[in-house]
Amino acid sequence: MRGYRVLVNCTPMGNNRILYGLASMGRGSALMVTKQDIIDGIRSLGLSSSIVCLHSSLKSFGHVEGGADTVVQAFVQEGCTLVVPTFLFDSQVPAPAGRVVARNGGEAEETKGRSLQDAASWNPSSKKIAAGMGAIPQAVLNTPGAVRGDHPLNSISALGPEAKELIAAQEPLDVYGPYRRAYERGGYLLLIGVDLTKATPLHFSEQVAGRNSFRRWALGEDGEILEVEIGSCSNGFGKFDGVVADIEARVRVGESLWRMFPLQEFIDRTSREIVENPQITHCHRPTCLRCDDAVVGGPILPGKH
């Protein structure tokens, strides 16, 4: 059975559009989201053939016919380049002896009790991601043609026409290089069923605002210990809602709320806000070491302040 459901796209400046999409009616009259519904959502936001920095929850749809693969294939069919976080922490190790970085977001406590024997060497060809990263990033990584970044802890992966060029920018000490290239190329940030606390590009905003990224260490492919960049705590990022509200467009697909932002303006606005109001990134925990250290500029690194 097929039934109409309403998609509301709240475009910037209050120019709202009402869109009608077809969705299959499942048991109990629940909407079943199809590939065409997802394509309709992509087109309604003008994202076809664009770079899309995606953060997502498959569960937010209610039920998708074909699961996460259907979501990914809809973006592929529309010519998008999907960019997703595919973090994995199996290779993390404590700092080498004598390598102490001041104001480093609680690194010593984070790796306390962990040894080299606990770590696995980084394998960039692996399809494994950390639990909690989500079904859609896993589906992206499993799709032929996907490219995974060379970062042992915070890899970013992409699929689509510009995937190789975007991901080539990621290195252990340039964790957000793919977002920088997406910014330069006029990409978009798309949140599917999640809020700004999941928006990894906000860590790139912190770099643009002048903050140093935190340092961690990981076991590389050949077993050597690598120094790598990672991001700060993101639990306070919901405070940016008001900063970017007027550049946000929304559409609802099934039960899932999609929120889209032009990446250039998103990064420009949020980085300026961080400069003017550093506390905006701090989470609700008064004892969060990552937030405390990020607010004052991040770790103290040689040659940087």
Side-chain angles (χ1 to χ4, degrees):
M1 178 180 177
R2 300 281 283 176
Y4 282 103
R5 55 122 162 92
V6 180
L7 303 179
V8 181
N9 181 20
C10 305
T11 57
M13 308 304 293
N15 298 318
N16 296 344
R17 290 182 290 156
I18 305 299
L19 304 169
Y20 294 89
L22 285 170
S24 298
M25 303 298 289
R27 293 180 181 178
S29 297
L31 289 174
M32 181 180 293
V33 177
T34 66
K35 183 179 180 181
Q36 187 59 52
D37 294 322
I38 296 165
I39 288 172
D40 289 344
I42 294 167
R43 291 176 178 174
S44 75
L45 292 173
L47 290 174
S48 300
S49 302
S50 296
I51 296 169
V52 180
C53 299
L54 178 66
H55 297 269
S56 58
S57 165
L58 182 63
K59 291 180 179 178
S60 70
F61 286 99
H63 182 75
V64 178
E65 185 177 39
D69 288 337
T70 296
V71 178
V72 173
Q73 289 307 313
F75 281 93
V76 170
Q77 183 172 320
E78 285 302 293
C80 298
T81 298
L82 282 178
V83 183
V84 297
T86 50
F87 298 173
L88 182 65
F89 307 105
D90 290 358
S91 62
Q92 186 169 357
V93 297
R99 184 69 173 99
V100 177
V101 176
R103 218 166 61 192
N104 198 27
E107 184 275 333
E109 287 299 315
E110 183 180 306
T111 57
K112 188 175 182 178
R114 188 173 175 86
S115 68
L116 290 176
Q117 289 70 37
D118 298 321
S121 295
W122 163 239
N123 177 8
S125 65
S126 169
K127 303 300 183 183
K128 184 179 180 182
I129 63 176
M133 294 271 32
I136 294 173
Q138 184 69 74
V140 168
L141 196 56
N142 288 344
T143 302
V147 184
R148 188 171 197 170
D150 187 17
H151 194 289
L153 304 182
N154 287 182
S155 68
I156 296 168
S157 297
L159 176 68
E162 299 188 66
K164 288 184 179 180
E165 189 165 357
L166 292 173
I167 298 304
Q170 187 174 43
E171 298 177 359
L173 290 176
D174 191 2
V175 61
Y176 303 122
Y179 293 132
R180 183 178 63 252
R181 287 197 175 170
Y183 168 93
E184 292 166 351
R185 292 170 177 271
Y188 294 87
L189 169 62
L190 179 62
L191 307 178
I192 291 182
V194 297
D195 61 24
L196 286 174
T197 64
K198 305 299 183 184
T200 308
L202 279 167
H203 295 305
F204 175 54
S205 295
E206 292 184 285
Q207 289 185 335
V208 173
R211 292 181 176 178
N212 295 327
S213 294
F214 292 115
R215 294 302 194 259
R216 295 294 184 267
W217 287 265
L219 209 58
E221 287 184 81
D222 57 2
E224 70 171 323
I225 298 177
L226 301 176
E227 181 178 350
V228 303
E229 285 185 339
I230 67 160
S232 63
C233 172
S234 62
N235 290 333
F237 286 175
K239 299 176 191 174
F240 287 102
D241 277 337
V243 177
V244 295
D246 65 329
I247 61 168
E248 175 180 352
R250 295 186 173 196
V251 65
R252 190 171 292 276
V253 179
E255 298 174 14
S256 181
L257 176 63
W258 293 18
R259 303 172 62 189
M260 185 270 286
F261 307 86
L263 190 62
Q264 287 183 348
E265 191 161 6
F266 180 88
I267 297 298
D268 290 347
R269 286 193 181 205
T270 55
S271 60
R272 284 197 302 266
E273 187 67 24
I274 292 168
V275 171
E276 296 170 3
N277 177 20
Q279 285 288 338
I280 193 171
T281 59
H282 206 295
C283 71
H284 64 281
R285 292 194 302 118
T287 58
C288 179
L289 291 177
R290 280 208 200 185
C291 284
D292 288 346
D293 290 347
V295 163
V296 293
I300 300 173
L301 304 173
K304 295 185 178 182
H305 302 285

